[in-house]
Amino acid sequence: MIRRHTLTEHIMQEQRKYPGASGGFTGLLSDIATASKIIAREVRQAGLGNILGAAGSTNVSGDEVKKLDLIAHEIFVNVLERTGHLCIMASEEDEDPITIPDRFPAGKYVFVFDPLDGSSNIDANVSVGTIFSIFRKISTDERGGMVDILQPASEQICAGYIVYGSSTLFVYTVGHGVHGFTLDPTIGEYILSHEDIRMPDQGQVFSINEGNRSRWFDYTSDYVDWIKSSVPDEGRPYTARYIGSLVADFHRNLLYGGIFLYPEDRENPNGKLRLLYEAAPIAFLAEQAGGLATTGETSIRSIEPAELHQKVSLIVGSRNDVLAYERFRRGDRP
Ligand code: AHM
Ligand code: MG
């Protein structure tokens, strides 16, 4: 029988490359994995939760039934605040940074996350996901501050996502390629299933919400018209695929090649997606897999964030596809 690495073994192996490592980072990743397993359980039971707790907004115990994205947020905070690896956190579900309470020790890492991206899809049983980024603390404050959170994507030391889909998948990078682990629910462990994922240079899939077309700038409409009429090297026209759940759309394109676009438009000068906990980690993963991630003009990794919840135009995917969009954006169409 071939025995594949567990996520824990894989992280330990990475840690051995740094002889002075204290194990704190390894501990943090394993805490993230623990939180994600709890969320996977909640997501699996989401439909049941509705049945049991729907009428009004209280469940059988009289507790308020919370939206799953808030539950996911609370699970991450509860698991991560107490283990001494973090100095501060930030989440899509909290307007302000989340400080580590004084009763718990503070560590040297910063965790920025979207607890349950795509959660508007959850009632239809569509895949949703957690997206996260880890930075090193750069301030001298023991419990960190905004300056530790507002770091450019190029400073990430780790990025990843968890897809809660037909199976639960944990995908991460620490800057040495992108690796994917599938949760084996019978033993409760993530098992290495996708080693060193490489995104094809040329994809055959494009993913964009065409419902926004009336708001698009001409370069986006022209690009989408062009991609629909062009035939990549493999001789088949592009296929349109749009789930509306960034993690699931990106994960598919990561494996098969393709481009995902949520560009700026006439009503949304910075698009829809958030820089720190959506675009930045996805950009790190894409680049580590050989792809590209830009605003259409500038690399996502080079943007200096100004605000915690700032939005950014995101064009991410196979290298040649992203470069083609950039040419349209510059008015220099292929
Ligand atoms: P959310 O953070 O509120 O879930 O919104 C982010 C999601 C992404 O997962 C997805 O790519 C995008 O919103 C879809 O937006 P739209 O419905 O406008 O196409
Ligand atoms: Mg989100």
Side-chain angles (χ1 to χ4, degrees):
M1 182 184 115
I2 302 170
R3 208 183 72 67
R4 287 177 167 268
H5 273 169
T6 64
L7 176 61
T8 313
E9 287 167 341
H10 198 265
I11 303 168
M12 296 294 286
Q13 204 177 30
E14 285 290 324
Q15 187 191 313
R16 282 195 285 275
K17 292 181 186 157
Y18 304 90
S22 64
F25 181 70
T26 306
L28 172 57
L29 273 180
S30 108
D31 292 344
I32 296 168
T34 301
S36 73
K37 290 177 200 172
I38 302 173
I39 295 168
R41 185 194 63 197
E42 298 295 323
V43 169
R44 257 200 317 277
Q45 294 175 349
L48 264 183
N50 272 341
I51 292 165
L52 297 177
S57 59
T58 54
N59 63 18
V60 281
S61 319
D63 300 326
E64 193 187 341
V65 177
K66 290 198 184 121
K67 284 175 66 192
L68 212 52
D69 38 14
L70 290 179
I71 295 177
H73 166 91
E74 283 174 11
I75 290 170
F76 267 108
V77 172
N78 285 336
V79 170
L80 297 180
E81 69 180 1
R82 62 192 60 230
T83 49
H85 303 308
L86 296 180
C87 60
I88 198 161
M89 294 182 242
S91 159
E92 178 180 341
E93 298 299 334
D94 198 326
E95 213 172 308
D96 301 313
I98 303 155
T99 48
I100 304 297
D102 287 341
R103 63 183 186 281
F104 299 126
K108 59 182 176 191
Y109 297 108
V110 178
F111 185 67
V112 184
F113 65 114
D114 182 348
L116 207 62
D117 187 64
S119 54
S120 61
N121 286 310
I122 198 120
D123 289 345
N125 220 5
V126 170
S127 298
V128 289
T130 296
I131 315 175
F132 66 89
S133 240
I134 302 172
F135 296 98
R136 272 200 187 83
K137 177 162 80 86
I138 52 173
S139 72
T140 50
D141 292 351
E142 194 205 3
R143 278 160 206 268
M146 199 56 125
V147 66
D148 297 297
I149 292 166
L150 298 182
Q151 298 192 52
S154 55
E155 296 304 310
Q156 292 170 99
I157 58 167
C158 176
Y161 58 80
I162 300 107
V163 200
Y164 310 102
S166 48
S167 52
T168 302
L169 214 71
F170 188 109
V171 177
Y172 86 111
T173 184
V174 290
H176 304 135
V178 178
H179 310 289
F181 300 78
T182 303
L183 182 62
D184 179 342
T186 61
I187 56 169
E189 278 280 8
Y190 283 108
I191 308 292
L192 181 61
S193 51
H194 299 72
E195 192 168 15
D196 197 15
I197 303 171
R198 303 300 299 167
M199 190 180 244
D201 282 346
Q202 173 71 58
Q204 289 198 306
V205 171
F206 72 100
S207 319
I208 187 166
N209 185 345
E210 282 211 71
N212 296 335
R213 188 175 183 111
S214 60
R215 308 197 306 243
W216 289 346
F217 291 108
D218 287 349
Y219 47 81
T220 302
S221 310
D222 290 348
Y223 172 79
V224 170
D225 290 344
W226 172 80
I227 206 166
K228 283 179 176 173
S229 62
S230 61
V231 179
D233 293 345
E234 287 176 30
R236 283 181 45 212
Y238 279 88
T239 297
R241 289 280 184 273
Y242 190 74
I243 298 169
S245 189
L246 174 62
V247 172
D249 276 310
F250 175 74
H251 184 67
R252 181 202 53 243
N253 292 359
L254 176 68
L255 297 183
Y256 304 153
I259 183 166
F260 172 93
L261 309 99
Y262 215 116
E264 75 270 301
D265 60 42
R266 290 193 186 86
E267 285 173 29
N268 306 288
N270 296 306
K272 170 181 180 183
L273 300 174
R274 270 54 59 103
L275 172 60
L276 274 163
Y277 41 78
E278 293 176 329
I282 292 293
F284 190 14
L285 289 155
E287 290 183 2
Q288 279 294 312
L292 288 177
T294 81
T295 63
E297 282 189 300
T298 317
S299 159
I300 297 288
R301 300 243 291 147
S302 67
I303 302 172
E304 295 278 347
E307 287 169 30
L308 170 46
H309 298 286
Q310 122 182 28
K311 294 179 179 176
V312 73
S313 165
L314 175 64
I315 317 296
V316 59
S318 291
R319 170 172 292 273
N320 294 345
D321 292 314
V322 174
L323 291 174
Y325 181 83
E326 286 189 325
R327 285 199 291 277
F328 276 86
R329 180 75 178 74
R330 285 196 302 268
D332 164 26
R333 45 181 305 167

